[in-house]
Amino acid sequence: MRAVWLERIWASNAWKSIPGPYQIENAEGAAKTGPDKGVGKYRARRENKIQVKELSKKELELKSQELEILKQNQEKEPENKQFNATELFDKYNRSVFKIYVLNEFKELHITGTGFLIGDEGYAVTNYHVLQNANNAYIEMINGDIIDIDFDKIVGYNNQDDFVIFKLETHKNIKGFEDYSDVPVKNGTTVFTIGNPSGGESNTISQGIITGQNGKDLQFSAPIDHGSSGSPLFNSQGQIVGLVWGGKHNGNLYKALKIMHLELS
């Protein structure tokens, strides 16, 4: 009898008016009970979860884009960034090489230094380093030996004491980045990487600009025989001069101002 009574209530929809624990609200707030009880509320919760997941996905995409932009900005070195000696050496050590000059008997005559500028294989040293050379070759810091092809000399000036030549096999090595006309004041911190005779290959020294005279800069960073042709650069890694010599007494070392190097 009880079963029949329940079937009649169910068939007549009379159960909709039964108050109590059977009655719940769906997502739209309408009353709902019976065999579907809880389904509307469950659907609403599920839809809300889906919305939360979708929002979270969008937020993750935005965060990913923000992180990528931040990474790119960090990789870009800010203008006028100052580097210390260790950072500069790590950055430009591969751009500096040792020069061996041979006499007519193919015996070692003198040694010097040179360096790469830009990323197309252009190299610079002093004119007096190669002046009396019958043959000459360079040794890169990684041990590579490359003959200097005198037919690849693209410019020189014996009075300003520089030679520019090309190393076709080392276009992939990036040289010093900025060789433009950089204003230099007395007291500016400068560095040089060179190959002093009797010393290790590519040694770095630090000093300041102590004076200027016409085309030349005077600086205090120690150099020695074999350092001719070394780059003189500031704490931003910008080339300011081409080292050509000097006197040890009083640290009177000299470099040609880079603006007088015919690089263009």
Side-chain angles (χ1 to χ4, degrees):
M1 290 294 293
R2 184 178 179 182
V4 174
W5 177 75
L6 287 174
E7 287 177 3
R8 289 175 179 174
I9 292 176
W10 192 264
S12 63
N13 291 329
W15 60 270
K16 291 184 179 180
S17 62
I18 299 175
Y22 300 97
Q23 203 167 42
I24 61 171
E25 290 186 356
N26 63 10
E28 289 75 27
K32 189 171 184 180
T33 55
D36 269 348
K37 68 178 180 178
V39 172
K41 194 170 184 179
Y42 169 77
R43 185 181 295 113
R45 287 199 302 266
R46 186 170 178 273
E47 289 174 355
N48 288 337
K49 285 182 179 179
I50 293 172
Q51 290 175 0
V52 169
K53 287 182 180 178
E54 289 177 350
L55 288 174
S56 298
K57 186 178 179 181
K58 290 179 181 179
E59 288 174 355
L60 286 172
E61 290 176 353
L62 289 173
K63 289 291 183 184
S64 178
Q65 293 174 2
E66 290 173 1
L67 288 172
E68 184 62 28
I69 294 171
L70 181 62
K71 182 180 177 182
Q72 292 175 358
N73 291 336
Q74 287 176 341
E75 289 175 351
K76 293 179 181 178
E77 293 173 351
E79 294 183 4
N80 303 322
K81 180 179 179 180
Q82 306 290 315
F83 298 94
N84 60 38
T86 300
E87 292 169 329
L88 289 166
F89 186 76
D90 288 343
K91 190 171 185 179
Y92 294 114
N93 183 32
R94 295 176 70 245
S95 303
V96 181
F97 51 82
K98 188 171 185 176
I99 299 176
Y100 296 84
V101 177
L102 309 180
N103 60 21
E104 57 184 328
F105 305 107
K106 295 186 178 180
E107 299 171 336
L108 182 62
H109 176 50
I110 61 170
T111 62
T113 300
F115 58 95
L116 294 167
I117 283 183
D119 56 3
E120 295 184 2
Y122 287 103
V124 180
T125 189
N126 288 137
Y127 178 87
H128 77 258
V129 172
L130 298 177
Q131 183 175 8
N132 298 314
N134 288 85
N135 292 286
Y137 64 90
I138 70 173
E139 182 180 10
M140 305 299 292
I141 193 61
N142 63 359
D144 287 354
I145 303 295
I146 306 169
D147 289 329
I148 294 178
D149 185 350
F150 292 99
D151 291 332
K152 297 293 184 180
I153 292 176
V154 297
Y156 70 91
N157 188 311
N158 61 337
Q159 292 183 342
D160 289 338
D161 199 8
F162 70 81
V163 174
I164 304 171
F165 56 98
K166 204 163 188 182
L167 296 176
E168 296 290 346
T169 58
H170 273 73
K171 286 185 177 181
N172 59 325
I173 296 181
K174 192 173 184 179
F176 285 84
E177 300 168 358
D178 193 335
Y179 49 84
S180 60
D181 179 6
V182 179
V184 182
K185 297 180 180 180
N186 292 349
T188 298
T189 299
V190 289
F191 305 83
T192 183
I193 299 175
N195 294 277
S197 299
E200 298 294 331
S201 296
N202 283 13
T203 61
I204 188 169
S205 60
Q206 179 176 346
I208 62 170
I209 299 295
T210 58
Q212 303 184 43
N213 182 15
K215 293 183 177 182
D216 291 331
L217 295 170
Q218 182 175 291
F219 61 96
S220 63
I223 62 170
D224 204 341
H225 299 291
S227 297
S228 293
S230 298
L232 187 70
F233 50 97
N234 61 20
S235 57
Q236 297 172 42
Q238 298 170 318
I239 291 285
V240 297
L242 169 65
V243 174
W244 60 262
K247 297 179 180 180
H248 296 296
N249 186 13
N251 290 343
L252 301 177
Y253 306 115
K254 298 294 185 75
L256 176 71
K257 292 179 180 178
I258 204 66
M259 67 181 70
H260 300 292
L261 203 64
E262 299 167 7
L263 292 167
S264 58

